[in-house]
Amino acid sequence: MPQITNPILPGFNPDPSILRVGDDYYIATSTFEWFPGVQIHHSKDLANWELVTRPLTRKAQLDMRGDPDSCGVWAPCLSHDGERFWLVYTDVKRKDGSFKDAHNYIVWADNIEGPWSDPVYTNSSGFDPSLFHDDDGRKWFVNMAWDHRVRPLLFAGIMLQEFDPVAGKLVGPITNIYQGTDLKLVEGPHLYKRNGWYYLLTAEGGTAYDHACTFARSRTLDGQYETHPDKHILTSKDSPFAAIQRAGHGDLVDTPDGKTYLVHLGGRPTTQERRCVLGRETSIQECYWGEDDWLYVKNGPVPSLEADVPGTRDEDKYWAEQRYSFENGLHKDFQWLRTPETERIFTTENGKLRLFGRESIGSWFEQSLVARRQTHFSYDAETLVDFAATDERTMAGLTAYYSRYNFFYLAVTAHSDGQRELLLMTSEMSWPDGKLKFPAAPVQIPNGGKVRLKLTVRNRDLQFYYALEGQELQAIGPVFDASLLSDECGGHQAHGSFTGAFVGVAAHDLNGTASPADFDYFTYTPQHGSLDRYKLDAVS
């Protein structure tokens, strides 16, 4: 069987939920504050994956304006009951402090590409919801429960309740079916049925370096679940030098020939400080069922960098330069932040991407920032911008972005006298005050003409460049530390920052006049380096 190298979904693609319908595999992953909500990838062979849809595309389904960083869509669950697809997701409105405001919804569609229904609200008792279709036709909803009192547990257990699809609501009693192990923080539940057993797969330990997949089973759906004899079927918590760290939050799928695979999130730290610059990614592990009817990860519990799957991956596609033009609209690789009212922040006209300057970079409500995931440890990004800045409150340019507390931004702007200039702005681990730094003197440029902007990332080194029309690129500012664009530096560190590094374009107009900025193209060019899919420098 061909062997591939993990991850199968590189870059920010956490909390995978997998299913197979016939010969087609699908994985849904979390998108947090990035819109549209939920990424669904498709594969025929578990090796080659293609983004096919983001189903939460309209205001009735998802409006995240006001959601803080790393809130929004958490841990979707994608399932199929033999007739239609079902998608369960959480929209988190608050995560900091003692309380969680986490609202859970269900949508459905006959085809994976939609149209997807308006949502049915279920509950707000916790997050990480999942829908289980039992073989008697009944549907069961599970989610972790949050207890702000911590009496006795903050992550209070996995709650089970029946879902009535005709009435469109949860019905019947609520049962706490599992409270986890001594690792605590039980979440991410998925239910399965096999050989007369109900199996429950959960995540524990938090999503940082103690993360784990914990397995349990019961003869009855709502009965007492006994924990796997090994407790955790997958974890890196006791293997600090494993290439894949933070491993947990998984889901299971069977192939047509009866093999079982576990997909799970994990991060690849590449610095002495253990920073996962590419965020939490999706990897895959082959499993087997023992004679005791328990599931085991092949060569586990530590996740393997290599996996045997049915297909052979096309690596050329991963390494190909992506040159985006906008004649046919915005490419599916791009997302934006929070708002479903896209016409207020961008259009694609005359082959260009036009951004309308809105609120400041880092705003939790309405900012014009369109970006794609960083999926390589080293890459180049470039754009050409035409922007008539009028004063210091109007700006547009190129950004490497994680959150309001962590970004690098090279912008075309102007001084208060109207003279255009290039200005470097950074927010480097600036939580909680979010104050900017200006690491280089502004560069005056002519008041007319397009400006070419570029950045290069080589592992942890980030450098900006610019060029006026007809001129060669020249560096601007110092070399920055790109590893700051990681969960571990995202303001709340790895237990509270959940996304990943993006690179893209932005426009802001703090005067409120929606100044337009036109971008002719955007390129993303992967670069081979000491840290690629195959070779990871040891973290010591």
Side-chain angles (χ1 to χ4, degrees), residues 205-230:
T207 193
Y209 288 86
D210 288 329
H211 209 193
C213 288
T214 303
F215 209 46
R217 70 183 182 187
S218 172
R219 285 295 187 185
T220 60
L221 179 64
D222 60 352
Q224 290 297 312
Y225 281 77
E226 60 172 317
T227 300
H228 193 285
D230 296 337

Side-chain angles (χ1 to χ4, degrees), residues 77-81 86-88 105-106 122-123 128-144 158-165 169-177 189-193 198-200 220-223 225:
C77 171
L78 182 65
S79 62
H80 194 274
D81 64 359
W86 297 82
L87 180 68
V88 187
Y105 302 93
I106 300 176
T122 55
N123 66 23
D128 292 3
S130 182
L131 190 63
F132 170 64
H133 311 281
D134 208 344
D135 51 17
D136 62 0
R138 298 170 75 180
K139 301 182 186 302
W140 297 88
F141 189 90
V142 287
N143 63 271
M144 66 78 64
I158 304 304
M159 298 299 185
L160 172 77
Q161 190 175 12
E162 187 171 3
F163 174 69
D164 183 337
K169 63 180 181 180
L170 300 178
V171 296
I174 303 170
T175 306
N176 189 331
I177 60 172
H190 292 295
L191 281 166
Y192 316 89
K193 193 174 185 180
Y198 288 94
Y199 291 92
L200 177 64
T220 60
L221 179 64
D222 60 352
Y225 281 77

Side-chain angles (χ1 to χ4, degrees), residues 291-346:
E291 294 182 359
D292 55 2
D293 269 340
W294 282 112
L295 183 76
Y296 297 87
V297 172
K298 183 179 178 181
N299 301 319
V302 180
S304 299
L305 194 58
E306 288 77 31
D308 295 324
V309 298
T312 301
R313 184 157 51 203
D314 179 4
E315 294 293 345
D316 291 340
K317 187 173 182 179
Y318 175 73
W319 289 106
E321 178 185 75
Q322 299 297 316
R323 184 176 179 88
Y324 304 100
S325 58
F326 305 105
E327 288 87 357
N328 299 313
L330 190 67
H331 192 278
K332 63 184 179 181
D333 287 349
F334 290 94
Q335 288 183 272
W336 54 95
L337 288 163
R338 297 180 175 85
T339 180
E341 295 184 356
T342 46
E343 70 281 358
R344 286 184 51 83
I345 62 170
F346 73 85

Side-chain angles (χ1 to χ4, degrees), residues 367-428:
Q367 63 160 312
S368 298
L369 192 157
V370 175
R372 59 150 288 163
R373 284 157 177 75
Q374 178 183 341
T375 51
H376 302 75
F377 292 109
S378 297
Y379 71 93
D380 298 343
E382 182 181 306
T383 192
L384 184 66
V385 60
D386 188 1
F387 181 58
T390 57
D391 61 21
E392 67 273 24
R393 286 173 294 278
T394 56
M395 63 200 79
L398 178 65
T399 182
Y401 187 89
Y402 182 91
S403 70
R404 74 157 47 171
Y405 302 113
N406 280 56
F407 63 82
F408 304 97
Y409 186 19
L410 175 58
V412 175
T413 182
H415 190 43
S416 54
D417 61 4
Q419 174 61 53
R420 270 204 324 174
E421 63 184 28
L422 287 170
L423 186 64
L424 263 175
M425 294 169 279
T426 71
S427 178
E428 303 172 53

Side-chain angles (χ1 to χ4, degrees), residues 379 381 383 397-401 407-411 422-426 439-440 452-457 461-467 473-481 485 502-504:
Y379 71 93
T383 192
L398 178 65
T399 182
Y401 187 89
F407 63 82
F408 304 97
Y409 186 19
L410 175 58
L422 287 170
L423 186 64
L424 263 175
M425 294 169 279
T426 71
R452 183 179 167 201
L453 304 176
K454 180 176 181 177
L455 66 82
T456 63
V457 170
D461 293 340
L462 186 157
Q463 177 70 63
F464 280 100
Y465 299 83
Y466 78 96
L473 285 165
Q474 55 184 307
I476 180 171
V479 175
F480 296 108
D481 185 355
L485 304 177
F502 280 70
V503 60

Side-chain angles (χ1 to χ4, degrees), residues 2-138:
Q3 190 172 77
I4 63 169
T5 303
N6 278 312
I8 55 172
L9 299 181
F12 161 48
N13 281 288
D15 310 324
S17 170
I18 190 169
L19 81 157
R20 179 178 59 84
V21 180
D23 294 329
D24 296 291
Y25 298 92
Y26 300 97
I27 290 180
T29 52
S30 300
T31 44
F32 294 87
E33 67 264 36
W34 292 90
F35 196 93
V38 179
Q39 295 212 125
I40 298 179
H41 286 80
H42 167 258
S43 177
K44 286 283 191 181
D45 58 10
L46 296 176
N48 298 284
W49 295 87
E50 182 77 21
L51 178 65
V52 291
T53 189
R54 295 189 185 99
L56 307 180
T57 59
R58 58 187 187 271
K59 185 177 180 180
Q61 297 170 321
L62 184 65
D63 188 344
M64 298 182 289
R65 284 174 289 192
D67 288 9
D69 291 328
S70 289
C71 287
V73 175
W74 286 16
C77 171
L78 182 65
S79 62
H80 194 274
D81 64 359
E83 296 182 0
R84 60 171 42 157
F85 292 95
W86 297 82
L87 180 68
V88 187
Y89 63 97
T90 307
D91 180 8
V92 177
K93 300 299 184 184
R94 174 189 175 181
K95 69 176 180 63
D96 294 334
S98 295
F99 292 99
K100 287 279 193 298
D101 293 314
H103 309 311
N104 296 317
Y105 302 93
I106 300 176
V107 294
W108 57 87
D110 294 331
N111 299 300
I112 195 68
E113 296 181 11
W116 288 83
S117 71
D118 283 347
V120 168
Y121 170 76
T122 55
N123 66 23
S124 300
S125 58
F127 48 86
D128 292 3
S130 182
L131 190 63
F132 170 64
H133 311 281
D134 208 344
D135 51 17
D136 62 0
R138 298 170 75 180

Side-chain angles (χ1 to χ4, degrees), residues 247-279:
H249 201 123
D251 196 8
L252 301 174
V253 70
D254 290 335
T255 63
D257 61 357
K259 289 185 178 293
T260 300
Y261 286 89
L262 169 73
V263 294
H264 63 93
L265 71 79
R268 292 178 289 168
T270 58
T271 67
Q272 298 290 330
E273 302 91 341
R274 303 187 88 193
R275 295 172 181 171
C276 299
V277 179
L278 300 189

